[in-house]
Amino acid sequence: TRLDVRVCMSIGTISADVARTSEPHASPPHARLEAVRRLVSAGIDAGVLAAPILPGLSDSEESLDAVAAAAARSGATFFSTRPLKLDPSVKPHYFAFLAERFPALLPAAQARFAERVNPERAYTDMLEERACECYGVVRRTIEEFDSPSGRAYRLVAGGHPAPRSTSEGGKA
């Protein structure tokens, strides 16, 4: 019997400093990317879930581009995003983390998550749009599929993400 298995490795940033600060007990990004490389080399469908994406810390175009590029270099077969979700039990800890490490980001986070667990849909849509742009502007090189985290983008026929360029409709 053959089982279809898909492994999603969460990598919210490739910045060692941001990763160490925001997830001090997690494996560093380079180790997770190496795990993706080894899984794919072994024939396992493995990709990167850019998660959690932290507003003001890892949600910039530059940061997402860097995660997507690192995913591509590791051979990831798909790429998706997952914004920060603040369940009620997590919210006070995250706000305390911001207050201690990034106090300038605290007011915006408190406003964004005051009455909600997930960020607003427009923000999530913007991240998904960036994911698609980062992992291949030329839509014919990827296919969209449903994943537990939402939309993900799979490389088709062993292709590699196309470089972003203005001639393809992306941002240089």
Side-chain angles (χ1 to χ4, degrees), residues 1 3-4 9 21 26 28 34 56 58 64 69 77 79 85-86 92-93 100 115 148-149 163 167 172:
T1 304
L3 297 175
D4 286 326
M9 189 69 63
T21 303
E34 176 60 17
S58 61
L64 289 174
T77 59
F79 180 78
K85 175 183 176 189
L86 285 183
H93 299 287
E100 180 183 333
E115 301 297 325
S149 67
S167 64

Side-chain angles (χ1 to χ4, degrees), residues 45-84:
D45 188 9
V48 170
L49 177 61
I53 298 174
L54 306 175
L57 292 175
S58 61
D59 63 347
S60 70
E61 192 168 332
E62 178 183 342
S63 179
L64 289 174
D65 280 354
V67 175
R73 285 190 304 273
S74 74
T77 59
F78 60 90
F79 180 78
S80 187
T81 61
R82 175 68 190 223
L84 177 66

Side-chain angles (χ1 to χ4, degrees), residues 82-95 113 116-119:
R82 175 68 190 223
L84 177 66
K85 175 183 176 189
L86 285 183
D87 288 317
S89 62
V90 175
K91 194 180 290 190
H93 299 287
Y94 184 70
F95 288 168
F113 292 101
R116 51 189 321 136
V117 171
N118 293 301

Side-chain angles (χ1 to χ4, degrees), residues 91-92 94-100 102-112:
K91 194 180 290 190
Y94 184 70
F95 288 168
F97 158 75
L98 287 180
E100 180 183 333
F102 304 98
L105 298 178
L106 182 59
Q110 288 172 322
R112 171 171 275 158

Side-chain angles (χ1 to χ4, degrees), residues 146-161:
D146 291 328
S147 75
S149 67
R151 287 180 284 195
Y153 306 95
R154 174 184 300 288
L155 293 176
V156 175
H160 294 284

